[in-house]
């Protein structure tokens, strides 16, 4: 704890913090390209072709 206090005294307040304090994450979900019926129509889901020729829904 004293090492943390010394580092913060030397380099500025809140330079080092505990991981439990968290960090602000200014991110938002980007869903601009999502179908308006993405949860109700299976045909709107993209089809992925595997190397062996089999197809499956994502």
């Amino acid at each position: 704890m004293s090492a943390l206090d010394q580092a913060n005294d030397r380099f500025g307040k809140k330079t080092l913090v505990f991981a439990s304090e968290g960090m602000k994450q200014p991110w938002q979900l980007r869903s601009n390209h999502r179908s308006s019926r993405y949860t109700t129509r299976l045909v709107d889901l993209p089809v992925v072709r595997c190397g062996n020729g089999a197809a499956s829904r994502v």
Side-chain angles (χ1 to χ4, degrees):
M1 185 60 98
S2 65
L4 181 75
D5 291 336
Q6 288 174 7
N8 282 333
D9 288 341
R10 181 174 177 188
F11 297 109
K13 185 177 179 180
K14 296 287 186 181
T15 299
L16 297 177
V17 294
F18 292 108
S20 60
E21 290 185 43
M23 297 177 64
K24 290 184 179 182
Q25 297 290 331
W27 64 274
Q28 296 178 359
L29 176 66
R30 293 190 312 182
S31 57
N32 299 341
H33 302 292
R34 186 173 57 193
S35 165
S36 60
R37 297 175 294 212
Y38 73 101
T39 59
T40 57
R41 293 188 59 193
L42 290 177
V43 295
D44 289 341
L45 294 175
V47 175
V48 176
R49 302 255 180 225
C50 301
N52 60 7
S56 63
R57 296 239 178 245
V58 176

